[in-house]
Amino acid sequence: MAEVSREELGTMILEGSEVSAAFAETLDEDDLATVVTLGDYRMPKAELVAQIWIHHPIHHAYEASQRWPL
């Protein structure tokens, strides 16, 4: 990845997010309404998926900016 330009890296992050969003659109609504328990937290599975979908790309963006400062 050291050879990847900033522009290419940005494109990779955006393309990955688009693929992830397309997959999320196919998820079953009834399954997403299922309540899950994580420790003391109870939430619809959709909330867990949303948190992962939001925070995971942010993690990669921060990681990339640390490795390759913009």
Side-chain angles (χ1 to χ4, degrees), residues 18-35:
E18 290 171 4
V19 170
S20 179
F23 170 74
E25 290 175 354
T26 70
L27 299 176
D28 180 81
E29 293 290 328
D30 291 333
D31 184 48
L32 290 172
T34 303
V35 175

Side-chain angles (χ1 to χ4, degrees), residues 2 5 11-12 16 19 22 35 37-38 43 47-48 51 54 68-69:
S5 72
T11 299
M12 290 169 66
V19 170
V35 175
T37 303
L38 299 169
M43 67 187 81
E47 181 66 25
L48 179 61
Q51 291 296 323
I54 292 166
W68 304 284

Side-chain angles (χ1 to χ4, degrees), residues 40-60:
D40 292 334
Y41 296 100
R42 291 176 46 81
M43 67 187 81
K45 193 183 286 185
E47 181 66 25
L48 179 61
V49 171
Q51 291 296 323
I52 293 168
W53 193 82
I54 292 166
H55 293 291
H56 190 82
I58 291 171
H59 160 76
H60 282 292

